[in-house]
Amino acid sequence: GLVIKVNDLDVAADLGVVGKDPRGAVAYKFPAEEATTRLLGVTANVGRTGVLTPGAVLEPVFVSGVTVKQASLHNYDLIAEKDIRIGDTVLVKRSGEVIPYVVGPVVAARTGDEQVVMPPPACPVCSAPVARDEDEVAYYCTNAACPERVARNIEYFVSRGAMDIDGIGERGVRLLLDKGLIHDEADLFALRAEDLLELEGFGEKKVQNLLASIETAKARPLARLIGALGIRGVGSTVAGVLAEHFTSLDDLAAASS
C-alpha cells in the first residue's frame, strides 16, 4: 500500500480532523502481548443504545503487567465465526496495552465438554425481547426504558466528552436514579440542593460545585448537546452536521426521515 507522511504543519492542518483523529497523523503502537487462559463464561453487557456486548469471564491470567479476569468478545457473529466456546482454552491479547480481548480458541486443547455461545433471547436486565436489524451485526434490547440503558445514557450525557458535568460519575448517576431524583437526562437540570444534601456522599461543597457545573452545561453548543444524547449512529461528527442544518433541538426533533 501507499504510505504518505505529512510533516508540514500547514498541510496537516488543512487535512483536518475526523472525530478526534487528525488526518495528518499516524499512531504507532507496540505489538500486543498474548497469553492463554480458560473461558469460564460469557456475560451480556447492555450499552447505552441497548446493544448487547458479549464479555468473556476468564480464569485470571497475567498479561502485560496486569491480571486479566474479563475481556471483550466484540459481538456474537465474531464468536460464531471464530467458534469460541465456553470452557475453551483461549488466546487473550491486550490491545494498545489497555483493552484485553479474546483472539480465538485453542482448538487442540478441547475436551469435548465445551459449550457453544448463543445470543440471549431476552435482555439480562429488564427481560425485554432481544432484536437484531438485518443490516447490523449487533443484538440489542428493544426496551428504551430498560434501567441499564437509561443509566448508561445518563452516564454518557454527563461525561467529559459529552456535556461535561463535573461532580457526578457512574456511582452518582445510579444513586440519583435509585432515589428517584432523576429519570432521564432532562431531570438533571431540575436538581435541587435540598434534595442532593440528603444523599450519602453529597456534602455542601460538592452539591454547590455540581449545581454550578449543571448551570454551565446549559450553555453548551447545540452540536455538543446532540452528541451527548447518545442517539444511535450519531457521534461528534454527525452531531456537528446536524447542528449546522437544524437551528434548534426542537427543529431536529420535528424533522422527518
Side-chain angles (χ1 to χ4, degrees):
L2 179 63
V3 177
I4 300 176
K5 181 179 179 182
V6 178
N7 57 9
D8 185 302
L9 294 180
D10 290 334
V11 174
D14 288 341
L15 286 171
V17 177
V18 178
K20 60 181 178 60
D21 302 318
R23 290 192 178 100
V26 177
Y28 291 95
K29 298 180 180 180
F30 293 107
E33 187 175 323
E34 300 178 348
T36 55
T37 188
R38 189 162 173 263
L39 179 63
L40 303 178
V42 175
T43 59
N45 305 303
V46 184
R48 60 185 173 86
T49 60
V51 171
L52 301 179
T53 303
V57 180
L58 303 169
E59 198 169 86
V61 60
F62 198 69
V63 189
S64 299
V66 300
T67 300
V68 173
K69 299 178 182 179
Q70 296 177 317
S72 174
L73 284 165
H74 301 296
N75 59 66
Y76 291 97
D77 276 12
L78 196 65
I79 292 175
E81 181 184 321
K82 294 187 174 182
D83 191 23
I84 299 170
R85 306 180 186 183
I86 297 172
D88 265 336
T89 296
V90 293
L91 185 66
V92 178
K93 276 189 178 182
R94 285 192 71 210
S95 178
E97 301 301 316
V98 179
I99 305 169
Y101 66 97
V102 175
V103 178
V106 181
V107 178
R110 282 183 175 161
T111 64
D113 294 328
E114 294 77 15
Q115 301 173 2
V116 173
V117 179
M118 299 295 293
C123 173
V125 175
C126 70
S127 300
V130 167
R132 182 186 190 185
D133 292 335
E134 290 183 5
D135 57 344
E136 293 187 7
V137 170
Y139 292 81
Y140 63 93
C141 168
T142 55
N143 178 17
C146 171
E148 188 66 15
R149 287 186 61 174
V150 171
R152 288 193 176 274
N153 257 316
I154 300 175
E155 288 165 18
Y156 178 73
F157 186 82
V158 303
S159 68
R160 183 167 296 178
M163 294 300 282
D164 193 15
I165 297 177
D166 194 27
I168 178 172
E170 178 181 342
R171 183 179 175 187
V173 166
R174 291 178 186 263
L175 179 60
L176 293 176
L177 285 168
D178 289 343
K179 297 298 182 181
L181 294 180
I182 61 173
H183 301 89
D184 56 29
E185 294 88 338
D187 288 341
L188 290 165
F189 298 99
L191 287 171
R192 303 182 305 170
E194 52 264 41
D195 294 327
L196 293 170
L197 288 169
E198 295 181 2
L199 302 178
E200 182 181 350
F202 281 77
E204 189 170 338
K205 186 65 175 176
K206 179 174 181 177
V207 169
Q208 288 177 358
N209 290 340
L210 173 57
L211 292 178
S213 186
I214 289 173
E215 195 63 30
T216 301
K218 292 179 181 179
R220 301 276 186 242
L222 178 59
R224 192 84 171 266
L225 175 59
I226 293 172
L229 292 175
I231 303 167
R232 286 179 71 186
V234 178
S236 59
T237 302
V238 174
V241 172
L242 292 173
E244 286 181 8
H245 185 77
F246 298 98
T247 57
S248 71
L249 198 60
D250 288 337
D251 287 347
L252 176 60
S256 65
S257 57

